[in-house]
């Protein structure tokens, strides 16, 4: 386990933390956003913030796909799932996400045939074994997941499976980052870029963030030392007056991404003119839809196109934009917990609220003590 | 669903883009159609996301990632449970 020690070594973490502190200009504050839910998880689990000097703070971005699904899309999915000839298939994370009229779990209890799958290929398998039913796969996820849905659709097409379709909610990361950069209430000094999304899209597409917005971005791995090193790389850029896209996670992320995965997406999906994100509102060209109508559940089932306002008590929007820390939300840990989530950020284990709830209680209490 | 988990290839299908991988003792088929480059062989490590091999990784990276994921607790256990139920191929 030589490598594990290398990524976890507390002495190395302390020495990195010391160089991070040394890079901070006296009197200046630095705010970096980690875009990816996986990073949020690592940061809370390993207490990365405790290693950072006070001048550096981390805010949590919209990089959890479950968290950004608006309630209306859940209602539309349940509308499809409730038809007697339909088998709805979905990843486990989606089961408890609340729509305006309950979750998949509630709909299943009420008799809808909703099945959890590990992979869209499992959903295709269900379609092949149930030729008299219409099998719909609830496609969610960023560019990490979209290629798998795309490849599954290509496989369905070549195998001539006619009873399989996708309710496509795949979202794309770049327009979300742009929306955050355009948001007037947020000041950021740079981004910790998502590791596995970048394994697909590569590093090149982030160029507009450095070029047009003057913010550096470092694509990061998921080990605690990866995150610390990425913060170090961001601060080094700022100290040297550079603003570039850098790749800390080169051992997994090729600079140009995965051509086959991008090709599969482009063959089967196209950008939507606009898509609603939970808490962030409508963002143009921020999601994908199926190119081929015969695989598009949205067109096959003529969905109602529900729109549901988020519950007033829920501040997921502010949490997703990094304006609020999870514990600053009015219902965090009281009315909203992983067992009884009001907002999506509490549902998925990658959500900032769930990560904070599970790993951050001690810190939260300490913050409360300190501010009392 | 967000997790990408390293798996070791134990067998490669001769005629289809499929491979059997071992993740923490659980063996299932995954799709290898997203990978470019030289053919995969038993003993290679890949990063697996929702039933597809997303990229090749070296063994050190794989072991480090596995150790990190195992430390996640429920999220990792749920993913392995879902993987166990998978019927790809």
């Amino acid at each position: 386990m030589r490598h594990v020690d290398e990524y976890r070594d507390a002495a190395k973490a302390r020495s990195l933390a010391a160089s991070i502190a040394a890079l901070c200009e006296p009197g200046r504050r630095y705010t970096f956003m980690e875009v990816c839910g996986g990073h949020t998880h690592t940061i809370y689990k390993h207490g990365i913030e405790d290693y950072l000097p006070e001048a550096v703070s981390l805010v949590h971005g919209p990089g959890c796909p479950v968290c950004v699904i608006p309630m209306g899309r859940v209602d539309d999915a349940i509308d499809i799932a409730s038809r007697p000839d339909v088998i709805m298939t979905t990843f486990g994370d989606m089961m408890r996400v609340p729509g305006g009229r309950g979750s998949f779990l509630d709909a299943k209890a009420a008799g809808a045939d909703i099945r959890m799958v590990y992979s869209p290929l499992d959903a295709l398998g269900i379609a092949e074994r149930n030729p008299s039913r219409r099998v719909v796969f609830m496609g969610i996820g960023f560019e990490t997941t979209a290629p798998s849905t795309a490849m599954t659709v290509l496989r369905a097409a070549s195998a001539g499976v006619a009873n399989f379709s996708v309710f496509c909610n795949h979202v794309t990361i770049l327009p979300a980052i742009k929306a955050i950069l355009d948001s007037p209430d947020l000041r950021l000094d740079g981004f910790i870029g998502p590791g596995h999304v970048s394994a697909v899209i590569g590093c090149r597409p982030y160029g507009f963030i450095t070029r047009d917005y003057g913010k550096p971005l470092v694509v990061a791995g998921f080990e605690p030392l990866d995150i610390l090193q990425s913060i170090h790389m961001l601060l080094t850029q700022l100290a040297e007056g550079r603003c570039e896209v850098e790749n800390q996670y080169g051992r997994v992320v090729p600079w140009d991404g995965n051509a086959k995965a991008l090709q599969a997406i482009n063959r089967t999906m196209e950008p939507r003119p606009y898509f609603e994100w939970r808490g962030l509102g409508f963002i143009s060209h921020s999601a994908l839809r199926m190119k081929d109508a015969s695989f598009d559940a949205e067109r096959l089932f003529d969905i109602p196109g529900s729109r549901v306002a988020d519950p007033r008590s829920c501040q997921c929007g502010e949490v997703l934009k990094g304006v609020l820390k999870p514990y600053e939300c009015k219902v965090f840990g009281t009315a909203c917990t992983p067992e009884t989530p009001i907002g999506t950020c509490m549902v998925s284990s990658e959500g900032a609220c769930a990560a904070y709830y599970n790993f951050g209680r001690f810190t939260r209490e300490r913050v409360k003590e300190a501010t009392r | 669903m967000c997790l990408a988990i390293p798996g070791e290839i134990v067998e490669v299908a001769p005629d289809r883009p499929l491979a059997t991988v071992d993740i923490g003792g659980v063996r299932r088929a995954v799709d290898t159609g997203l990978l470019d480059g030289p053919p995969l062989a038993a003993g290679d490590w890949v990063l697996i996301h929702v039933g597809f091999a997303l990229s090749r990784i070296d063994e050190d990276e794989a072991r480090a990632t596995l150790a990190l994921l195992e430390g996640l607790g429920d999220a990792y256990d749920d993913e392995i449970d879902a993987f166990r139920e998978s019927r790809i191929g």
Side-chain angles (χ1 to χ4, degrees):
Chain A
M1 296 304 246
R2 175 177 57 83
H3 237 73
V4 178
D5 297 341
E6 205 170 292
Y7 293 127
R8 301 284 166 71
D9 191 323
K12 269 202 179 129
R14 275 193 297 274
S15 119
L16 252 177
S19 344
I20 284 172
L23 278 168
C24 295
E25 252 176 64
R28 183 170 168 187
R29 297 196 68 82
Y30 303 85
T31 307
F32 300 123
M33 173 177 276
E34 91 273 3
V35 177
C36 174
H39 287 152
T40 307
H41 213 107
T42 302
I43 286 163
Y44 286 142
K45 174 156 176 60
H46 293 275
I48 302 282
E49 286 174 314
D50 296 340
Y51 279 88
L52 297 175
E54 243 187 78
V56 178
S57 41
L58 298 177
V59 295
H60 320 294
C64 162
V66 174
C67 302
V68 299
I69 293 288
M71 295 173 92
R73 294 295 284 187
V74 177
D75 285 352
D76 282 350
I78 290 173
D79 184 272
I80 298 172
S82 303
R83 301 175 202 214
D85 61 336
V86 166
I87 300 173
M88 176 61 81
T89 55
T90 180
F91 295 134
D93 315 38
M94 269 307 299
M95 291 302 281
R96 288 183 308 123
V97 175
R101 298 192 304 273
S103 64
F104 269 150
L105 215 53
D106 300 322
K108 190 176 164 72
D113 192 345
I114 301 173
R115 305 184 191 178
M116 279 195 276
V117 289
Y118 163 70
S119 165
L121 287 171
D122 290 322
L124 180 58
I126 291 173
E128 287 174 312
R129 291 191 297 276
N130 294 274
S132 64
R133 306 280 298 278
R134 296 202 281 175
V135 175
V136 180
F137 174 66
M138 172 94 179
I140 66 160
F142 284 91
E143 287 93 335
T144 322
T145 322
S148 304
T149 305
M151 284 296 270
T152 303
V153 167
L154 293 172
R155 300 251 189 278
S158 68
V161 183
N163 62 328
F164 175 76
S165 63
V166 176
F167 181 46
C168 188
N169 294 280
H170 286 293
V171 283
T172 52
I173 196 70
L174 298 174
I177 294 180
K178 187 174 182 311
I180 282 164
L181 284 163
D182 287 333
S183 158
D185 47 358
L186 192 64
R187 298 275 171 276
L188 284 177
D189 297 284
F191 289 93
I192 299 170
H196 294 143
V197 161
S198 307
V200 173
I201 68 172
C203 300
R204 231 176 266 288
Y206 300 116
F208 79 97
I209 300 169
T210 54
R211 197 177 52 241
D212 303 340
Y213 292 90
K215 309 289 181 198
L217 180 143
V218 175
V219 171
F222 295 89
E223 290 285 340
L225 286 182
D226 287 333
I227 307 243
L228 286 172
Q229 197 188 350
S230 302
I231 293 167
H232 189 270
M233 288 165 78
L234 285 166
L235 286 166
T236 305
Q237 286 203 39
L238 292 170
E240 293 174 359
R242 289 186 292 120
C243 179
E244 292 162 18
V245 178
E246 289 183 314
N247 187 8
Q248 185 274 338
Y249 199 31
R251 56 191 198 273
V252 170
V253 173
W255 188 261
D256 287 313
N258 181 329
K260 271 189 158 175
L262 291 170
Q263 224 169 41
I265 296 175
N266 289 335
R267 280 177 66 188
T268 54
M269 299 174 197
E270 61 192 4
R272 290 172 189 271
Y274 54 86
F275 191 73
E276 187 184 5
W277 291 55
R278 177 152 187 158
L280 301 179
F282 285 92
I283 305 178
S284 61
H285 300 103
S286 64
L288 300 165
R289 65 181 176 200
M290 306 310 295
K291 273 186 180 167
D292 183 342
S294 62
F295 287 109
D296 186 359
E298 217 156 311
R299 282 179 276 180
L300 291 172
F301 293 93
D302 190 22
I303 54 159
S306 316
R307 284 213 61 207
V308 182
D310 291 332
R312 289 173 66 112
S313 57
C314 170
Q315 295 180 287
C316 274
E318 282 83 357
V319 172
L320 286 168
K321 281 191 286 189
V323 175
L324 282 189
K325 291 275 184 185
Y327 61 84
E328 291 170 328
C329 172
K330 291 193 288 264
V331 290
F332 175 86
T334 52
C336 186
T337 65
E339 289 74 37
T340 54
I342 293 178
T344 42
C345 300
M346 193 60 100
V347 177
S348 161
S349 62
E350 306 278 316
C353 295
Y356 208 94
Y357 187 90
N358 290 327
F359 301 122
R361 301 203 94 183
F362 171 68
T363 315
R364 180 169 64 95
E365 292 308 318
R366 212 171 52 184
V367 169
K368 260 174 35 191
E369 288 291 323
T371 51
R372 201 164 277 166
Chain B
M1 175 219 104
C2 270
L3 299 181
I5 298 186
E8 184 179 5
I9 304 231
V10 288
E11 198 182 350
V12 179
D15 48 346
R16 292 191 299 159
L18 275 182
T20 305
V21 298
D22 184 305
I23 301 182
V26 183
R27 288 184 177 194
R28 285 289 178 276
V30 298
D31 194 299
T32 55
L34 292 173
L35 293 185
D36 251 335
L40 290 164
D44 287 346
W45 286 80
V46 286
L47 203 57
I48 297 153
H49 180 63
V50 299
F52 284 80
L54 198 60
S55 49
R56 291 161 199 269
I57 50 176
D58 64 36
E59 187 173 344
D60 283 345
E61 169 67 23
R63 294 201 184 282
T65 307
L66 272 177
L68 176 84
L69 292 169
E70 280 159 9
L72 289 184
D74 285 352
Y76 176 76
D77 296 343
D78 291 350
E79 192 75 10
I80 295 296
D81 284 348
F83 179 67
R84 193 175 278 123
E85 299 299 315
S86 177
R87 292 176 60 179
I88 294 168

